[in-house]
Amino acid sequence: MDNSIFLAKFWGWYLIIFFLILSFNPKRIKQIFNDLNDEKFLIISSFVAIIIGLLNILFHNIWEPNWKLIITLIGWVSLFIGLSLFIFPKRTIAILKFINIKLVQVIYTLLFLTGLFLLNIVYGIVPM
């Protein structure tokens, strides 16, 4: 299977599931931000984000102006957030909290639409 197709399936389903979990249990996101104050959780979260981002970039670093760019950007954003959490934890948590409070509905909607778009590319539900 092509790496782009596999990662489109993975990220598409992940984003849809993430959106549904946060929609049905909005207190979960507040709990995650509270847990970021615990250094052990913060270190594990940053390592996971770095690993996922780095693997995504190593397998799929395609900068073509099409749907494959979305997958590449997800990997780079994950790597950047993981490194930021590890190097500048307090500043990064403050920025993430500010963004989440101000743009929570926009972010969730964009995650959902991105997941739908990626799944549509893979499964061809709505022809383009």
Side-chain angles (χ1 to χ4, degrees):
M1 180 185 305
D2 182 33
N3 286 344
S4 298
I5 299 295
F6 172 77
L7 288 169
K9 286 180 183 179
F10 173 79
W11 287 116
W13 283 115
Y14 178 83
L15 293 173
I16 297 292
I17 291 167
F18 187 75
F19 172 80
L20 291 172
I21 289 170
L22 295 179
S23 294
F24 290 117
N25 192 359
K27 293 180 183 176
R28 180 68 64 199
I29 195 74
K30 188 178 280 189
Q31 179 185 2
I32 291 170
F33 279 108
N34 288 337
D35 288 343
L36 284 174
N37 294 323
D38 178 17
E39 285 191 36
K40 292 174 193 153
F41 181 81
L42 177 71
I43 290 171
I44 291 171
S45 298
S46 64
F47 279 155
V48 169
I50 291 168
I51 290 168
I52 288 173
L54 193 55
L55 285 172
N56 192 94
I57 292 166
L58 290 175
F59 283 105
H60 192 281
N61 195 21
I62 300 173
W63 291 92
E64 297 173 1
N66 58 24
W67 62 272
K68 294 177 181 182
L69 182 62
I70 295 170
I71 297 168
T72 300
L73 291 176
I74 290 172
W76 280 103
V77 167
S78 177
L79 180 64
F80 179 74
I81 290 174
L83 289 171
S84 297
L85 281 172
F86 193 72
I87 298 168
F88 310 108
K90 291 184 190 315
R91 180 178 292 164
T92 305
I93 292 169
I95 292 169
L96 290 174
K97 283 182 182 180
F98 176 78
I99 291 171
N100 186 54
I101 291 169
K102 297 293 183 188
L103 302 171
V104 67
Q105 291 176 336
V106 173
I107 292 170
Y108 293 166
T109 304
L110 287 175
L111 290 175
F112 179 71
L113 293 175
T114 303
L116 282 179
F117 177 75
L118 290 173
L119 290 178
N120 184 56
I121 291 293
V122 172
Y123 297 115
I125 300 165
V126 178
M128 295 184 159

